[in-house]
Amino acid sequence: MADVFKKIRKAFDKLEKRIFVSEADFQHALAMKLEQYFKGRVRLEYPIIRPKRVQTTKGKYIYADIVIKDDNKKYVIELKYKTQAIKGMPDVDDDGILACKLLKNQSAHDFGAYDFWADINRVEQLVVQNGYEGGVCIFLTNDSNYTKPHTGTIYSNFSIGGGTHKPAKKKWIATDRCSKQRIAEIQQTRPNLNIQKPYEFNWQDFLTLPDTSGGKFRCLYVEIPDASKVGAI
């Protein structure tokens, strides 16, 4: 299993350091690199029977961004790509510059951070309940709001800032700006999450565009281990 994780990391490290137009573009680029290590064993948007403890979707199936099959063992990779608009790029005809101009201010940092924890929760449950060997969750962004710890907000428990994150039952927090009624509404589609193991979040630089605002991209790369290392909450 260690060799599989090493190959996945090598594939990610070999990604061309460029602007991705969308999360699908990011997904496809990574899949192409993974194919170099796992020929014919890389699947995109792979349907999996939903683990009972995954409550972020109610359907029978969930769809993993990438699944790798290696010696009859399966590994899952989930991706997030959250952007803000980039300012300061010259107005010339260039594919990279065009990609920059297409990036949007996605905002909604509370939901964006939650969704990454939901990916981790999903992979943990695939390991515990569906027999997957492990997985990787990757968050790529040029929005520095994600890389900082957040306190005193409704999503303080879902912050993905750098540092150690302990196993926990993660819940939304009512504040002066967000009532308990609004929290109840949010929980209809984004329920509380049980995270089963500690994670060390180390943000790393991915790409920096000089003389721009919003041109620094950073990534968070998190490995989820096998079932023997995942407890239960």
Side-chain angles (χ1 to χ4, degrees), residues 164-188:
T164 300
H165 296 262
K166 298 179 180 180
K169 293 185 177 181
K170 293 185 175 294
K171 301 179 180 180
W172 298 98
I173 302 172
T175 67
D176 292 341
R177 294 184 177 182
C178 190
S179 66
K180 291 182 179 179
Q181 180 179 351
R182 175 55 181 154
I183 294 295
E185 293 172 355
I186 292 173
Q187 288 176 329
Q188 294 298 312

Side-chain angles (χ1 to χ4, degrees), residues 209-225:
L209 302 174
D211 303 320
T212 62
S213 172
K216 184 173 184 177
F217 287 78
R218 306 191 75 196
C219 65
L220 189 56
Y221 187 99
V222 179
E223 294 182 354
I224 290 87

Side-chain angles (χ1 to χ4, degrees), residues 7 44 71 75 98 102 105-106 108 116 138 173 186 201 208 220 222 225-226 229:
K7 289 177 182 178
L44 304 184
D71 292 333
Y75 301 80
L98 177 60
L102 291 174
N105 285 318
Q106 294 181 336
F116 187 66
I138 304 171
I173 302 172
I186 292 173
F201 283 5
T208 300
L220 189 56
V222 179
D226 61 46
K229 298 179 182 178

